[in-house]
Amino acid sequence: MSINIKKYTLLSLCLISLSAAAQKAKPLFDGKTLTGWKSVAGAASYKVEDGMIVGTMVKGTPNSFLITEKEYGDFVLELDVKLEGSTTNTGVQTRSHIKPEANNGRGLVYGRQMEIDPTPRAWTGGIYDEARRLWLYPLELNTAAKPLYKKEEFNHYRIECIGNETKTWVNGSPVAYVIDTLDQSGFIGLQVHGIGSNLENDGKKVYFKNITIQTEGLKSKAFPKGIYTVNLTPNTLSDYEKSNGYKLLFDGKSNNGWVGAYKNAFPAKGWQIADGVLSVQPANGAESTNGGDIVTKEQYAAFDLSFEFKLTPGANSGIKYFVTLSENNSGSAIGLEYQVLDDVLHPDAKLGRDGNRTLASLYDLITAKKEARFLRPIGSWNNGRVVVYPNNKVEHYLNGVKVVEYVRGSEEFKKIVAISKYKDWKNFGEAPKGHILIQDHGNAVSFRTIKLKTL
């Protein structure tokens, strides 16, 4: 059988061209009608004007959403949005859902949202879990992206939802990266934020245009190295995280890499590893009298450490760093401590000075400046992070928000040590390197997804 090579090649090229055309982004809004969309939750109005969707803010109503009737799984969504004013915000829901019975039958929308934030906080492009887990990716995790938003102008947004990954861009620059196992599909929604009784914003508008979506032939757009990733898949590292130098300190299965403080082996009791979780076992709240603290076998100088923790009611624990084990003291080993505590029920929260023994504080030294809305309930997983830079600047984060900042060895640091419980320890907190420690304070506390990269 003979084959006409020219015709075959031409046919192949046509098929490739048709395939490529089918994989291009398609309009999600035709510029004329709201066919395929419906308004839910609040009472803000949505209209079509000059080829745009225009949402109008109205006082006395909860958040309003214009949502797609169709649900989407993997996609790349691009659109332009202009928000009037600078004292409210808006956003774009992805893979979201609704509780139709809530709000007197108007419904409650929940799911991941890309934030659009013109306020001085400047978290545009961050990822918020509407009506559920709240902030997943505040822009405290990528401060370089804060200036990207242009006030009172159309800004261009790209949102990728591919597999478990959600990534965002603002005006062409990468912003947020979240890996999350929840919600493999759901609707897309355009938000008009509730303004309460704020007359300043009553009647102001949000403009949406050039809304396109691609659902086939998807290829993730690469992020440059160095952007922090919120990975909510327990005890895993993505290829991107590995390329950025992260490693797991806890593999979810074993005690590899850990020993008891002042011991040569992992404690025989007092700690449990099960279902991907490393847990301190309760022992009437006594400090280091059951299994005792555990420490990494390795020591670290400058690093970026992240971990998830879950408290039980009234519990106390902590993550210590620059632990040298040179003091040979009784009780918990000495080191700088990221406090892990139930601030409401544990009495230690009322001790110290000005709250410097509360959750995420530098224990007994510096009080964490945190807002209640960034806390997750006792029994939920919270995200902690400690960054120690080569110049000795240190930062504590709680659920993505920076709550403590100081410089080891500075005059200010020495002054607060001098009036703390650590005043008698020479050069406290100034060791060039040390172990990471998880404290046994005799309360049930769980940890997972403990990851670190050296800086």
Side-chain angles (χ1 to χ4, degrees):
M1 180 178 72
S2 62
I3 297 176
N4 187 318
I5 299 299
K6 288 185 177 180
K7 287 184 178 180
Y8 181 79
T9 303
L10 182 60
L11 177 61
S12 297
L13 290 173
C14 287
L15 289 172
I16 292 170
S17 178
L18 287 170
S19 175
Q23 293 171 5
K24 288 182 179 179
K26 299 177 182 179
L28 193 57
F29 163 59
D30 64 10
K32 300 175 183 178
T33 70
L34 294 179
T35 301
W37 297 79
K38 62 180 178 180
S39 178
V40 298
S45 66
Y46 292 87
K47 297 180 180 178
V48 178
E49 298 178 6
D50 300 322
M52 299 179 288
I53 296 175
V54 182
T56 303
M57 301 175 207
V58 58
K59 60 183 175 61
T61 185
N63 293 344
S64 304
F65 300 88
L66 185 70
I67 67 174
T68 58
E69 295 177 350
K70 181 179 177 181
E71 293 197 346
Y72 296 89
D74 287 3
F75 61 83
V76 175
L77 177 72
E78 298 197 49
L79 72 166
D80 298 318
V81 184
K82 182 171 80 170
L83 172 62
E84 292 183 342
S86 60
T87 59
T88 184
N89 60 71
T90 185
V92 179
Q93 295 293 136
T94 62
R95 290 183 180 173
S96 293
H97 311 280
I98 188 168
K99 295 178 181 177
E101 71 281 1
N103 288 332
N104 297 318
R106 287 285 296 174
L108 175 69
V109 168
Y110 64 97
R112 287 185 295 272
Q113 175 193 115
M114 185 205 69
E115 178 86 355
I116 298 174
D117 178 15
T119 71
R121 184 180 66 177
W123 285 0
T124 295
I127 298 176
Y128 181 76
D129 195 14
E130 176 79 14
R132 194 167 51 183
R133 296 167 295 177
L134 309 182
W135 277 103
L136 301 180
Y137 200 106
L139 253 63
E140 298 301 301
L141 298 175
N142 185 6
T143 56
K146 285 189 172 188
L148 296 174
Y149 179 81
K150 301 174 184 177
K151 292 184 179 181
E152 301 284 355
E153 296 183 29
F154 276 102
N155 290 265
H156 184 74
Y157 302 97
R158 174 187 173 96
I159 306 171
E160 278 189 8
C161 290
I162 302 176
N164 289 336
E165 299 190 352
T166 299
K167 297 194 286 189
T168 67
W169 286 257
V170 176
N171 295 321
S173 295
V175 178
Y177 196 161
V178 170
I179 303 173
D180 190 5
T181 57
L182 293 186
D183 304 325
Q184 296 303 303
S185 65
F187 58 70
I188 290 166
L190 310 177
Q191 184 192 53
V192 171
H193 202 281
I195 59 172
S197 58
N198 187 339
L199 295 177
E200 175 190 351
N201 290 318
D202 192 28
K204 287 189 175 178
K205 301 181 185 300
V206 191
Y207 302 86
F208 304 90
K209 68 177 184 179
N210 301 328
I211 309 171
T212 65
I213 192 166
Q214 182 181 351
T215 57
E216 298 178 351
L218 299 175
K219 186 176 181 181
S220 181
K221 189 176 180 180
F223 261 26
K225 281 190 174 183
I227 293 179
Y228 186 82
T229 304
V230 172
N231 188 344
L232 300 175
T233 311
N235 307 316
T236 65
L237 292 175
S238 65
D239 290 340
Y240 179 77
E241 289 175 290
K242 292 175 183 176
S243 72
N244 277 281
Y246 283 96
K247 65 178 184 178
L248 289 174
L249 296 188
F250 169 58
D251 62 14
K253 300 174 183 178
S254 71
N255 57 33
N256 290 344
W258 296 85
V259 295
Y262 300 122
K263 299 176 182 176
N264 295 321
F266 195 83
K269 64 175 185 175
W271 292 83
Q272 181 183 60
I273 297 173
D275 302 320
V277 175
L278 173 64
S279 299
V280 188
Q281 299 299 286
N284 299 317
E287 182 180 288
S288 297
T289 59
N290 191 17
D293 300 342
I294 59 173
V295 297
T296 56
K297 292 180 180 178
E298 292 189 39
Q299 298 187 53
Y300 303 95
F303 56 84
D304 188 338
L305 169 71
S306 296
F307 53 94
E308 287 188 271
F309 63 91
K310 182 166 65 174
L311 287 157
T312 55
N316 183 356
S317 183
I319 299 287
K320 296 186 181 183
Y321 48 105
F322 291 101
V323 175
T324 65
L325 301 177
S326 60
E327 296 85 1
N328 291 309
N329 64 302
S330 60
S332 185
I334 299 299
L336 298 163
E337 180 178 353
Y338 180 112
Q339 173 77 307
V340 176
L341 189 79
D342 180 346
D343 287 347
V344 175
L345 296 180
H346 198 285
D348 211 19
K350 309 297 189 296
L351 301 178
R353 298 185 328 280
D354 303 320
N356 65 3
R357 295 187 181 185
T358 57
L359 175 63
S361 295
L362 178 63
Y363 178 75
D364 208 54
L365 296 170
I366 302 175
T367 305
K369 296 179 180 179
K370 56 185 185 288
E371 298 179 45
R373 62 198 177 110
F374 298 123
L375 304 180
R376 295 175 190 159
I378 299 298
S380 302
W381 287 104
N382 285 262
N383 294 291
R385 184 183 179 205
V386 177
V387 185
V388 180
Y389 296 93
N391 65 358
N392 281 324
K393 184 176 83 168
V394 183
E395 298 169 340
H396 286 191
Y397 292 78
L398 177 62
N399 295 324
V401 180
K402 185 164 64 175
V403 294
V404 167
E405 183 174 342
Y406 68 99
V407 178
R408 288 195 317 134
S410 66
E411 286 304 311
E412 184 179 2
F413 176 79
K414 291 176 184 292
K415 287 178 182 178
I416 59 176
V417 170
I419 57 173
S420 75
K421 65 184 292 184
Y422 301 112
K423 62 182 183 298
D424 296 328
W425 299 103
K426 186 178 180 181
N427 298 323
F428 170 77
E430 297 182 42
K433 64 180 180 178
H435 304 274
I436 307 296
L437 176 150
I438 304 179
Q439 186 184 47
D440 167 18
H441 209 293
N443 300 131
V445 182
S446 298
F447 298 89
R448 69 181 186 187
T449 313
I450 309 169
K451 64 182 181 182
L452 179 146
K453 77 168 181 177
T454 57
L455 300 178

